[in-house]
């Protein structure tokens, strides 16, 4: 019979797409078949209303679906009496895998309905919600390819699973209390696991709770003693804890806008950074911070626990310091036994560990701080001009490691892995490399990495035996920002304000505060922070006072440094700098933030976690809301010298100016000087737009101030990928693809 072969590409497996197509076919009176295969969803249809049917495929798609393309061609269709859903075909992967999704309203209603067979069930899900990527072992996405394979469906679940009109039709994790996973608590008094867990939390215990992508450590967030106990046991003195609560609870302790409320309720269920509200939690939850990281319960288990507990919970990653999150039951007992008083376990295995997604909203859109559960393995379309890009794998940097794959016009930026100098994180990185390649049937023709030869990811890249593109750190930041904004390959030059911690420059020094004029293929550095030594090398990242010493000495304020920092071995450090021993030169903006935080005495001694000084500085600056004049910088031949900033700060300090105002003046000064320099490149015709990238742009205040400085110009920012090193691999892959194309031209 005359009909059509219709190919649907995108995020179309594991989202109820085939039953959706079946229902459309009933609506339009069509005959034919629909199936999953490695390229997505394939439809053979015949009937009178094929045009309307095809248009509705994208227009009315299920909530979790993302349709990239609907392609059709005439063909003969061998159809029976109706329209059928047939078995998946083929191996390999050209389609997109669906990220894990928070519990939908229908499933939530069921677990709270005493007359429903899933009442109180911790693993209720359907095609609109539940685990996906965390349980997937291989493609295509069928039950026997997931960690649900050991659970044989009962007759009631199998009937739902086989009914195209049911929202659980081919929902691979479908289960109920009679046939699915179970939850328990260790040690147990023999009662209900959820009720016992809530009771333990109320009395101040620390619980290890198994979730979607790993274990969390949980305590009562209102109990200062319990929070302090968790900090002591985990040896985490200052890093903010994530929080979980119902939306009503979150609104009690945080200031929540309509857009922030919508982001909290997104199917990805991110941790969202929110300004503190009128009702306060113990300071120990997030010492020295203006914001708290909140997420809503995103599994039935979390919903049931919070309903019983009736309050906010600290919900932080269950891991030893520096190690990946724990995912196995035996592993949890072994590694978290010294932290937790009890364990909330279940018997559905986790196929891959995924940290919680972290995002925040700014006046300029969303900001991704950590790309993880709920967003991965979602893909980004490649910009115009990359249509013929080969398959490429890129391996990112040493910190906030993530992998990026390019294939068939899409870029898949993987999940946050962590710092590769930790042995177990390195193991997770190697596993993720093999995992993504296998899942997505990826065979790269070239690989890309950072310019730094000693990065573990760089060495791994060279071990592949494939053509290698070595990409300068900040060029990768620029390219990542261009790519996620869809900047065409031949779109012209862009001025990139790149502010971050550390990245090896082609001149052998450490960069970190510069303006690059470039595109995907190359760049030149037009402006940069005056370089200062990093005394002690890596120790300068840990100790803000070391950076303050160098900047004060450069500004001719050595006597002040002696008076303020007299408790440290200043003479020894100065001697090592003069001798050039373990004191590389750096233009790092991150270290300048550290230096000024030390000037305001926001961190005593060493930072207890990466970024602590800068985060405290931002929090303090947010306390001063009035307009201020930024601190000054000197400019000479592209060099931006902060010496005048420190001299002006000293005058403010001696005049009794409030520290919050000084913190604000610092931010305004940075935004003003870099904004002015980038503006000149656009106004003189050298650049067509300005891109903002690098870890310092996780600072929402800095982002806002720079954007205001450039408000009448085209500005590109990160909204879908991290501005920090978590986005490096995307930029590396795009640079490699652009150079590949250039060589073939």
């Amino acid at each position: 019979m005359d009909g059509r072969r219709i190919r649907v590409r995108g995020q179309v497996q594991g989202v109820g797409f085939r039953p959706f197509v079946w229902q459309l076919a009933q609506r339009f009176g069509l005959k034919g078949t629909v199936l999953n295969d490695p390229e997505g969803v394939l439809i053979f249809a015949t009937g009178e209303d094929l045009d309307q049917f095809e248009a509705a495929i994208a227009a009315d798609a299920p909530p979790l679906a993302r349709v990239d393309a609907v392609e059709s061609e005439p063909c003969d269709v061998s159809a029976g009496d109706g329209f059928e859903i047939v078995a998946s075909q083929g191996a390999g992967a050209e389609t997109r895998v669906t990220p894990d999704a928070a519990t939908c309203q229908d499933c939530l209603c069921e677990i709270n309905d005493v007359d429903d067979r899933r009442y109180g069930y911790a693993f209720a899900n359907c095609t609109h919600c539940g685990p996906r990527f965390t349980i997937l072992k291989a493609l295509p996405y069928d039950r026997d390819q997931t960690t649900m394979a050991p659970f044989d469906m009962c007759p009631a679940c199998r009937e739902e699973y086989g009914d195209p009109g049911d929202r659980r039709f081919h929902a691979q994790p479908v289960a109920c209390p009679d046939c699915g996973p179970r939850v328990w608590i260790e040690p147990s008094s023999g009662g209900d696991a959820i009720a016992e867990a809530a009771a333990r939390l109320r009395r101040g215990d620390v619980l290890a709770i198994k979730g979607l992508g790993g274990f969390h450590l949980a305590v009562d967030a209102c109990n200062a003693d319990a929070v302090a106990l968790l900090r002591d046991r985990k040896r985490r003195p200052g890093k903010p804890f994530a929080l979980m609560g119902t939306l009503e609870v979150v609104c009690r302790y945080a200031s929540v806008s309509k857009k922030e409320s919508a982001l909290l309720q997104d199917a990805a269920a991110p941790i969202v950074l929110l300004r503190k509200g009128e009702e306060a939690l113990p300071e120990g939850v997030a010492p020295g911070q203006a914001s708290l990281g909140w997420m809503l319960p995103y599994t039935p288990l979390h919903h049931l626990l919070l309903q019983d507990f009736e309050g906010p919970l600290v919900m932080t990653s269950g891991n030893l310091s520096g190690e990946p999150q724990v995912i196995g039951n035996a592993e949890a007992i072994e590694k978290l036994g010294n932290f937790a008083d009890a364990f909330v376990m279940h018997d559905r295995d986790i196929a891959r560990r995924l940290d919680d997604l972290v995002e925040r909203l700014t006046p300029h859109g969303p900001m991704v701080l950590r790309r993880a559960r709920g967003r991965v393995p979602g893909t980004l379309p490649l910009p115009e001009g990359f249509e013929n890009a080969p398959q490429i794998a890129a391996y990112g940097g040493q910190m906030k490691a993530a992998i990026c794959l390019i294939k068939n016009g899409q870029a898949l930026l993987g999940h946050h892995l962590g710092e590769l100098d930790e042995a177990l994180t390195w193991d997770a990185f190697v596993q993720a490399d093999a995992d993504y390649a296998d899942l997505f049937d990826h065979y790269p023709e070239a690989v890309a990495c950072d310019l730094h030869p000693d990065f573990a990811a760089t060495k791994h890249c060279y071990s592949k035996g494939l053509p290698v593109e070595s990409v300068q750190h900040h060029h990768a930041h620029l390219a990542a920002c261009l790519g996620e904004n869809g900047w065409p390959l031949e779109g012209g030059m862009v001025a990139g304000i790149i502010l971050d911690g550390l990245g090896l420059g082609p001149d052998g020094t450490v960069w970190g505060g510069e303006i690059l004029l470039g595109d995907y293929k190359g760049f030149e550095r037009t402006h940069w922070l005056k370089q200062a030594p990093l005394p002690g090398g890596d120790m300068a990242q840990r100790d803000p006072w070391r950076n303050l010493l160098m900047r004060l000495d450069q500004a001719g304020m050595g006597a002040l440094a002696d008076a303020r920092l007299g408790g440290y071995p200043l003479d020894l450090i100065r001697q090592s700098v003069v001798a050039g021993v373990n004191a590389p030169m750096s233009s790092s903006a991150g270290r300048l933030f550290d230096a000024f935080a030390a000037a305001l005495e926001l961190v005593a001694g060493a930072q207890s976690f990466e970024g602590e000084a800068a985060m405290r500085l931002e929090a303090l600056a947010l306390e001063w809301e009035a307009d201020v004049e930024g601190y000054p910088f000197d400019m000479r031949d592209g060099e931006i010298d902060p010496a005048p900033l420190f001299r002006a700060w000293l005058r403010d300090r001696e005049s009794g100016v409030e520290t919050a105002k000084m913190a604000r003046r610092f931010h305004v000064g940075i935004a003003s000087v870099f904004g002015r320099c980038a503006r000149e490149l656009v106004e003189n015709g050298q650049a067509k737009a300005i891109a903002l990238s690098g870890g310092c742009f996780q600072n929402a205040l800095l982002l806002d101030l720079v954007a205001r400085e450039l408000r009448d110009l085209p500005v590109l920012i990160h909204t879908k990928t991290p501005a920090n090193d978590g986005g490096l691999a995307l930029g590396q892959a795009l640079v490699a693809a652009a150079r590949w194309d250039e060589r073939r031209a």
Side-chain angles (χ1 to χ4, degrees):
M1 299 174 65
D2 291 341
R4 288 184 193 173
R5 179 185 187 275
I6 302 173
R7 159 68 62 202
V8 187
R9 303 185 189 277
Q11 185 173 293
V12 291
Q13 293 188 12
V15 295
F17 208 91
R18 289 176 298 169
F20 156 71
V21 170
W22 181 87
Q23 290 167 359
L24 276 185
Q26 310 309 307
R27 177 174 140 198
F28 291 110
L30 305 183
K31 297 179 180 180
T33 59
V34 59
L35 58 92
N36 282 344
D37 71 2
E39 294 186 51
V41 167
L42 185 60
I43 304 165
F44 294 93
T46 184
E48 296 297 325
D49 294 321
L50 287 173
D51 288 342
Q52 293 181 9
F53 170 74
E54 188 174 328
I57 289 173
D60 302 336
L64 296 182
R66 300 292 182 270
V67 177
D68 293 335
V70 179
E71 305 160 356
S72 68
E73 60 184 4
C75 76
D76 289 332
V77 175
S78 177
D81 294 333
F83 196 91
E84 295 182 63
I85 298 173
V86 298
S88 301
Q89 294 181 4
E94 303 293 337
T95 189
R96 186 184 308 171
V97 177
T98 308
D100 300 83
T103 307
C104 71
Q105 194 60 42
D106 287 337
C107 286
L108 186 57
C109 288
E110 288 175 348
I111 67 172
N112 287 311
D113 182 355
V114 294
D115 295 323
D116 194 276
R117 69 190 189 92
R118 290 187 174 86
Y119 173 66
Y121 186 53
F123 304 94
N125 66 86
C126 67
T127 55
H128 301 151
C129 70
R132 298 291 194 278
F133 195 45
T134 51
I135 63 169
L136 181 64
K137 291 182 175 180
L139 287 174
Y141 176 64
D142 287 325
R143 190 180 181 98
D144 61 359
Q145 306 265 50
T146 74
T147 60
M148 284 297 296
F151 300 96
D152 292 331
M153 283 182 275
C154 66
C157 285
R158 187 165 294 282
E159 182 178 354
E160 293 170 332
Y161 183 85
D163 180 0
D166 194 286
R167 79 174 200 280
R168 290 192 168 90
F169 177 77
H170 279 221
Q172 305 307 336
V174 66
C176 75
D178 293 333
C179 64
R182 64 185 184 93
V183 62
W184 69 92
I185 188 169
E186 298 179 11
S188 173
S189 61
D192 177 75
I194 300 294
E196 189 170 343
R200 282 179 169 273
L201 288 164
R202 282 191 288 270
R203 75 186 190 205
D205 283 1
V206 176
L207 263 61
I209 301 173
K210 189 176 183 180
L212 277 182
F215 276 78
H216 289 102
L217 291 169
V219 297
D220 179 356
C222 295
N223 185 333
D225 290 338
V227 172
L229 176 64
L230 177 56
R231 286 206 177 278
D232 181 62
R233 287 183 178 177
K234 203 176 179 189
R235 297 178 185 174
R236 184 172 167 174
K239 191 173 184 179
F241 283 141
L243 297 157
M244 180 179 282
T246 64
L247 186 58
E248 180 183 5
V249 166
V250 174
C251 291
R252 282 169 49 197
Y253 296 100
S255 175
V256 186
S257 69
K258 288 184 179 180
K259 289 184 178 180
E260 288 168 335
S261 176
L263 182 57
L264 282 165
Q265 296 176 79
D266 187 274
I271 296 172
V272 181
L273 295 193
L274 301 169
R275 294 292 296 272
K276 292 180 179 178
E278 293 184 3
E279 195 168 342
L281 290 172
E283 176 66 13
V285 170
Q289 302 302 317
S291 300
L292 299 173
W294 284 96
M295 58 181 157
L296 301 185
Y298 56 83
T299 71
L301 189 156
H302 292 133
H303 280 285
L304 294 168
L305 178 60
L306 284 171
Q307 287 169 12
D308 200 319
F309 180 71
E310 298 182 331
L313 293 174
V314 165
M315 197 73 77
T316 188
S317 294
N319 63 302
L320 298 175
S321 179
E323 290 190 3
Q325 192 175 18
V326 167
I327 62 172
N329 293 349
E331 180 190 16
I333 292 173
E334 175 191 352
K335 293 191 173 181
L336 305 181
N338 292 330
F339 300 162
D341 298 302
F343 295 81
V344 178
M345 304 283 208
H346 62 72
D347 55 355
R348 185 179 66 203
D349 288 342
I350 298 171
R352 62 184 51 77
R353 68 188 84 234
L354 287 180
D355 281 319
D356 289 314
L357 170 73
V358 184
E359 301 183 348
R360 73 191 301 182
L361 279 177
T362 77
H364 311 282
M367 176 187 292
V368 179
L369 303 179
R370 183 169 69 197
R371 182 175 167 85
R373 173 201 48 77
R375 299 288 186 219
V376 292
T379 62
L380 298 168
L382 297 184
E384 178 187 339
F386 286 94
E387 292 82 5
N388 297 319
Q391 292 190 32
I392 291 173
Y395 293 101
Q398 186 74 4
M399 303 177 70
K400 299 177 178 63
I403 293 167
C404 183
L405 308 181
I406 280 182
K407 181 180 179 181
N408 291 347
Q410 298 285 322
L412 188 153
L413 179 61
H415 60 284
H416 167 86
L417 290 161
E419 324 310 331
L420 296 186
D421 52 1
E422 293 289 340
L424 291 177
T425 305
W426 171 248
D427 291 343
F429 176 87
V430 174
Q431 180 181 351
D433 183 25
D435 189 28
Y436 278 117
D438 182 53
L439 275 176
F440 299 98
D441 201 29
H442 195 261
Y443 298 93
E445 296 180 57
V447 288
C449 60
D450 194 88
L451 186 65
H452 201 301
D454 295 329
F455 281 0
T458 301
K459 295 177 180 178
H460 180 72
C461 183
Y462 276 93
S463 73
K464 294 288 185 176
L466 293 168
V468 175
E469 284 293 346
S470 184
V471 183
Q472 199 277 326
H473 192 90
H474 302 93
H475 186 205
H477 275 306
L478 171 62
C481 189
L482 296 180
E484 83 151 78
N485 282 279
W487 190 261
L489 177 60
E490 302 298 339
M493 291 293 189
V494 173
I497 302 178
I498 315 297
L499 305 178
D500 76 345
L502 304 171
L504 181 65
D507 60 357
T509 66
V510 180
W511 291 10
E514 46 268 330
I515 297 177
L516 305 182
L517 180 63
D519 58 10
Y520 299 104
K521 299 173 186 176
F523 69 93
E524 63 173 302
R525 184 166 70 152
T526 62
H527 302 80
W528 57 92
L529 274 176
K530 181 177 181 178
Q531 293 190 332
L534 296 175
D538 289 344
M539 287 188 289
Q541 298 184 65
R542 184 195 66 190
D543 299 333
W545 62 266
R546 294 173 182 265
N547 303 289
L548 177 60
L549 171 63
M550 294 297 98
R551 289 299 184 184
L552 290 179
D553 280 358
Q554 282 188 339
M557 301 165 68
L560 177 63
D562 291 339
R564 289 286 301 278
L565 305 173
Y568 298 109
L570 305 187
D571 289 342
L572 183 62
I573 286 175
R574 284 166 170 153
Q575 289 170 16
S576 68
V577 168
V578 171
V581 177
N582 198 22
M585 298 299 292
S586 174
S587 60
S588 170
R591 301 295 78 80
L592 182 61
F593 271 81
D594 290 348
F596 198 75
L600 298 186
E601 300 179 326
L602 299 182
V603 176
Q607 300 186 76
S608 66
F609 64 93
E610 184 206 357
E612 179 180 13
M615 290 171 66
R616 287 178 177 264
L617 185 59
E618 179 191 3
L620 182 61
L622 288 168
E623 295 178 13
W624 190 271
E625 298 182 356
D627 290 338
V628 297
E629 182 181 354
Y631 282 132
F633 289 77
D634 276 343
M635 287 285 303
R636 183 176 181 181
D637 298 329
E639 184 180 77
I640 301 171
D641 185 356
L645 177 159
F646 287 97
R647 291 192 284 267
W649 156 74
L650 180 58
R651 290 193 295 271
D652 276 356
R653 179 173 173 267
E654 292 175 341
S655 300
V657 173
E658 293 184 45
T659 54
K661 184 176 182 179
M662 291 188 281
R664 188 81 173 201
R665 290 194 68 189
F666 173 82
H667 281 79
V668 173
I670 292 277
S672 179
V673 68
F674 277 94
R676 287 198 312 271
C677 294
R679 173 182 288 278
E680 290 177 5
L681 294 173
V682 175
E683 292 180 344
N684 67 21
Q686 292 179 266
K688 292 187 175 181
I690 297 169
L692 311 181
S693 192
C696 291
F697 281 111
Q698 293 177 113
N699 181 322
L701 174 60
L702 178 68
L703 176 69
D704 185 43
L705 291 171
V706 174
R708 286 190 214 172
E709 185 75 28
L710 303 169
R711 56 187 171 272
D712 57 331
L713 300 176
V715 176
L716 311 177
I717 64 172
H718 291 269
T719 59
K720 303 180 186 73
T721 63
N724 61 36
D725 283 7
L728 276 179
L730 171 62
Q732 292 169 352
L734 290 167
V735 170
R739 291 176 180 170
W740 179 280
D741 187 67
E742 190 174 46
R743 282 197 299 269
R744 294 183 62 183

